[in-house]
Amino acid sequence: MKEARKIEALFEVLRIVASLAIAYVIALLVLFFVSDEPLFVIQQFVLGPFSSPRRIGSIINLAVPFVLCGLGMCFIYSVGKLNMMGDGIFMLSGCIVTFVGLRIGGLGLPAPLVWLILMLVGGLVGVMCIYLPAWLDVKLGVSVIVVSILANTILSELSQYILQFQMRDPSASYLASFPLDPSVSLPKFLPSSLKLQSGILVAAALYLLSVVLLHKTTLGYKMRMVGANAKMARAAGMSVASTIIIAQLIGGFLAGVGGAMEIMSNYTRFLWTDTTGHGFDGLMVAVLAKKDPKYVPITALLLAYIRIGSDVVNSSSSIPNEFVSVIQCIIILLVAAEMFLTKQRNKLICKAAEANLKQEQQKQPA
């Protein structure tokens, strides 16, 4: 059993490495025909994100909302549901956090208290938004996928309404809220060259809590049981409906905190006029992590690295950003593919099992 687990863990790493290698080979072949400097472009894509402390810091900072949204999707996935409201929640949470921050930021409250209030506000926005699709799914059998996708549009339009009519700064030359008080913004980490946001600490704390909750508690066990076999869980006396709703509420809370962290860490005012895509990025992170929160930081950093590499290529060459997006999709598809390298993995597991069986037989007396 231990040998099988070691082989599976090894192959997960090999799958990612092989996916990167295949994607880069495809990119190199295509670039030979569309670029005058294909090797330079590949070098920029692969090594560019590590070429300066600022870019390294950008990878880590970009991974923070990916981690939070990815953890949220892991909880939603754990009960076998696909609630897609993370994108709308992320945007509305940032909007409401800005709305509240404009009112409490200048009251003279201690900055840590302001941060805590705004994080809780962001989380509660996520809980309230995600409850209705979850309830409709459990109680009325309405497709949670359809409702959540439609709800994203509603939350996006609501955010734009609040920005336009409740907190727009008329002195700004573009559509944006009034500037936030400095007490709302989270401080940066040292060294200053990396400019790491303090949201990393929040993401790390919520990551540890998520791993413990899903793998070490009774509630987490119920979630995994419901996701694996809802009928068996119900036969065992578990409350399937409430477990499904609670898992999605936790997912909404984490996505909401992600939106709050993004505003408090990287913005001085709210200016989003459309969803940021972080909710769907969280979906990709959760898929790459095999729905297990333990691997979310790794897959979040991988996705952030690809995104920063895309930006570097786009700014240093004539290659359009869409080309790099295609390479990114190839990598994600290969990593997420269940059958990629599965045959080779199963062969090694069978060989290891046969070797262990022979050893056990040799130990037995003749």
Side-chain angles (χ1 to χ4, degrees), residues 74-129:
C74 284
F75 278 99
I76 295 171
Y77 263 144
S78 69
V79 291
K81 295 297 177 180
L82 192 58
N83 192 320
M84 307 290 288
M85 278 195 71
D87 221 31
I89 287 173
F90 194 92
M91 182 177 183
L92 184 62
S93 171
C95 178
I96 299 299
V97 163
T98 304
F99 183 84
V100 176
L102 289 171
R103 282 150 180 79
I104 68 172
L107 296 179
L109 298 173
L113 179 59
V114 173
W115 302 335
L116 178 61
I117 291 173
L118 294 180
M119 280 188 284
L120 290 175
V121 167
L124 289 175
V125 168
V127 169
M128 290 187 292
C129 290

Side-chain angles (χ1 to χ4, degrees), residues 221-222 225-226 229-240:
Y221 174 75
K222 289 180 179 179
M225 280 292 295
V226 169
N229 193 322
K231 292 182 179 180
M232 183 179 294
R234 187 177 290 107
M238 297 181 186
S239 178
V240 173

Side-chain angles (χ1 to χ4, degrees), residues 39-269:
L39 295 178
F40 171 75
V41 174
I42 290 293
Q43 181 186 18
Q44 289 296 99
F45 185 52
V46 178
L47 302 178
F50 304 110
S51 60
S52 70
R54 181 180 61 82
R55 286 175 176 171
I56 296 174
S58 296
I59 294 173
I60 299 173
N61 288 335
L62 184 58
V64 170
F66 291 169
V67 167
L68 293 170
C69 293
L71 290 173
M73 285 306 304
C74 284
F75 278 99
I76 295 171
Y77 263 144
S78 69
V79 291
K81 295 297 177 180
L82 192 58
N83 192 320
M84 307 290 288
M85 278 195 71
D87 221 31
I89 287 173
F90 194 92
M91 182 177 183
L92 184 62
S93 171
C95 178
I96 299 299
V97 163
T98 304
F99 183 84
V100 176
L102 289 171
R103 282 150 180 79
I104 68 172
L107 296 179
L109 298 173
L113 179 59
V114 173
W115 302 335
L116 178 61
I117 291 173
L118 294 180
M119 280 188 284
L120 290 175
V121 167
L124 289 175
V125 168
V127 169
M128 290 187 292
C129 290
I130 209 168
Y131 176 76
L132 181 60
W135 185 86
L136 289 174
D137 173 51
V138 170
K139 299 298 183 180
L140 302 180
V142 180
S143 173
V144 70
I145 298 177
V146 174
V147 174
S148 59
I149 291 176
L150 293 175
N152 278 333
T153 302
I154 296 173
L155 298 185
S156 174
E157 295 296 329
L158 178 59
S159 300
Q160 293 179 56
Y161 172 83
I162 295 172
L163 171 61
Q164 180 89 21
F165 297 103
Q166 301 298 323
M167 56 183 185
R168 182 179 184 179
D169 184 0
S171 64
S173 59
Y174 52 93
L175 182 58
S177 71
F178 290 99
L180 289 163
D181 188 82
S183 64
V184 173
S185 300
L186 294 171
K188 302 294 183 181
F189 273 140
L190 294 175
S192 58
S193 58
L194 288 176
K195 295 184 178 179
L196 299 181
Q197 56 173 274
S198 301
I200 295 171
L201 297 178
V202 177
L206 291 176
Y207 163 71
L208 294 175
L209 287 174
S210 298
V211 173
V212 171
L213 178 59
L214 198 57
H215 290 285
K216 302 294 182 180
T217 65
T218 303
L219 177 60
Y221 174 75
K222 289 180 179 179
M223 292 178 186
R224 289 183 284 115
M225 280 292 295
V226 169
N229 193 322
K231 292 182 179 180
M232 183 179 294
R234 187 177 290 107
M238 297 181 186
S239 178
V240 173
S242 61
T243 301
I244 290 174
I245 291 177
I246 290 172
Q248 294 182 70
L249 293 180
I250 295 173
F253 178 86
L254 290 168
V257 172
M261 288 293 96
E262 186 70 6
I263 290 294
M264 296 163 64
S265 300
N266 298 318
Y267 293 86
T268 57
R269 60 175 80 206

